[in-house]
Amino acid sequence: MTIAAESAEQLAHTAHIFRGWIRRLTDLLREGGVSDKEAHAFAVMLVASVEGAVVLSRAEKSLEPFETVAQQLMTQARGLASQVRSTGI
């Protein structure tokens, strides 16, 4: 697997899309009471995890990697929500 793109323009466009997703998720997490640092970190992990799960699922021709990652991310999101409620991180 490589992160290279056919062109610098294509790579820049892809990076722009990912940054937009991360920015939007970060904003939503902040609106939910998560600190800036925690919101950004969770958003990056969320996007990277889902994208990795997509690659694994395609390679294995199975939804199992995606479902496993989704379940783990939901568990972590619930934990983050619980922390916000109890400590206001």
Side-chain angles (χ1 to χ4, degrees), residues 50 53 63-78:
V50 169
L63 287 176
E64 190 274 330
F66 191 84
E67 290 170 349
T68 298
V69 167
Q71 182 179 27
Q72 291 299 310
L73 289 171
M74 289 299 296
T75 298
Q76 291 179 15
R78 286 184 194 104

Side-chain angles (χ1 to χ4, degrees), residues 29-50:
L29 288 162
R30 275 194 228 132
E31 288 173 19
V34 179
S35 71
D36 290 349
K37 182 179 177 183
E38 288 290 326
H40 180 74
F42 191 78
V44 169
M45 186 198 57
L46 182 64
V47 171
S49 297
V50 169

